[in-house]
């Protein structure tokens, strides 16, 4: 992680080749960082179980942070949150207009046992951008996509949000966003999981919003 932080500080464009990279602290992107991996199944940032700093759910801590006032590009990266990191967030995105995320996977250990974790992608505090081809299959996380407190227009294309413990998508105090072909997916055992929760939202457009179970349900809800 220390070498990644040094690279971000010293270079605008960074390519991460095929491999698994252990994360021990938040990777804070620069004002115009371009972070590109080979592809998300082969270039992965991994948070090992019980990583110090990521275990307090009252103090959410992201693996990748796009700060206010930045306009980074992130593409071809996978983020894996192993179990017992209840304060972990895959990506917290507060970046401004012109920022872009493409072909990114954010997932947890595929199990509903063990400690509950927080979010996959969290867009917050005026954050915006263009998001395309994001996948969050996270069985041990609370929610996959969370957007809070932003009215800056944003656009999301073809995001798949799957298998979270409580709700797939949370929108709170969000305005002026458009979502194209966003999908939520549950399996048997996820009957109590909601597809989306919205509160204090306005001027949102959804085009081709898919909500479904990929297999039969065991109990009604």
């Amino acid at each position: 992680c220390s070498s990644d932080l040094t690279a971000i500080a010293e270079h605008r464009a960074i390519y991460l080749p095929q491999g698994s990279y252990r994360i021990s602290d938040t990777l804070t992107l620069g004002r115009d960082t371009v972070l590109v991996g080979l592809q998300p199944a082969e270039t992965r940032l991994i948070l090992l179980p019980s990583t110090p700093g990521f275990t307090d759910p009252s103090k959410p801590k992201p693996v990748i942070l796009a700060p206010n006032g930045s306009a980074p590009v992130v593409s071809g990266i996978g983020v894996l949150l192993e179990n017992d990191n209840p304060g972990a967030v895959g990506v917290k995105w507060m970046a401004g207009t012109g920022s872009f995320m493409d072909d990114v996977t954010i997932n947890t250990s595929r199990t509903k046992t063990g400690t509950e974790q927080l979010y996959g992608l969290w867009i917050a505090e005026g954050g915006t951008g263009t998001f395309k081809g994001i996948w969050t299959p996270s069985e041990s996380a609370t929610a996959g996509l969370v957007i809070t407190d932003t009215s800056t227009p944003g656009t999301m294309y073809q995001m798949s949000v799957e298998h979270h413990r409580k709700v797939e998508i949370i929108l709170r105090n969000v305005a002026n966003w458009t979502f194209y072909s966003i999908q939520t997916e549950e399996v048997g055992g996820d009957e109590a999981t909601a597809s989306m929760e919205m509160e204090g939202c306005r001027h949102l457009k959804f085009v081709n919003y898919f909500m479904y179970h990929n297999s039969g349900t065991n109990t009604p809800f």
Side-chain angles (χ1 to χ4, degrees):
C1 179
S2 59
S3 60
D4 293 334
L5 291 171
T6 300
I8 290 171
E10 295 180 353
H11 303 280
R12 176 175 180 265
I14 301 161
Y15 173 67
L16 293 179
Q18 179 180 5
S20 297
Y21 300 84
R22 178 182 176 182
I23 297 299
S24 58
D25 202 354
T26 298
L27 297 179
T28 301
L29 304 178
R31 182 180 60 84
D32 58 355
T33 298
V34 178
L35 183 64
V36 178
L38 176 67
Q39 56 106 322
E42 299 295 337
T43 299
R44 300 195 304 166
L45 308 179
I46 298 180
L47 190 68
L48 295 181
S50 304
T51 297
F54 292 87
T55 59
D56 185 350
S58 69
K59 298 178 181 178
K61 186 175 178 65
V63 170
I64 297 176
L65 175 64
N68 290 118
S70 67
V73 173
V74 177
S75 179
I77 299 290
V79 179
L80 173 60
L81 311 176
E82 295 281 9
N83 277 337
D84 300 318
N85 288 298
V89 174
V91 179
K92 186 175 183 181
W93 195 270
M94 301 183 293
T97 302
S99 61
F100 181 50
M101 179 184 289
D102 171 57
D103 193 24
V104 169
T105 297
I106 305 167
N107 65 308
T108 65
S109 300
R110 294 186 66 86
T111 173
K112 289 188 179 296
T113 62
T115 304
E116 182 176 296
Q117 300 181 61
L118 286 177
Y119 314 139
L121 172 59
W122 183 16
I123 302 166
E125 299 178 37
T128 186
T130 301
F131 302 83
K132 174 178 169 288
I134 314 300
W135 184 35
T136 62
S138 302
E139 292 185 356
S140 58
T142 301
L145 171 63
V146 179
I147 308 179
T148 58
D149 303 312
T150 182
S151 59
T152 312
T155 309
M156 185 166 288
Y157 298 91
Q158 296 179 313
M159 181 173 183
S160 185
V161 191
E162 305 176 7
H163 313 321
H164 296 85
R165 287 194 174 187
K166 292 181 178 177
V167 59
E168 308 286 12
I169 300 168
I170 297 172
L171 305 178
R172 295 197 180 107
N173 303 319
V174 179
N176 307 316
W177 274 65
T178 303
F179 302 87
Y180 294 96
S181 298
I182 196 164
Q183 167 189 294
T184 62
E185 176 183 304
E186 293 81 46
V187 296
D190 289 342
E191 283 81 3
T193 298
S195 177
M196 179 182 294
E197 292 181 356
M198 290 189 287
E199 180 182 353
C201 297
R202 58 190 174 86
H203 299 158
L204 303 180
K205 179 187 285 188
F206 295 88
V207 181
N208 295 339
Y209 174 24
F210 294 89
M211 300 174 283
Y212 72 99
H213 280 65
N214 70 5
S215 61
T217 61
N218 296 321
T219 58
F221 179 70

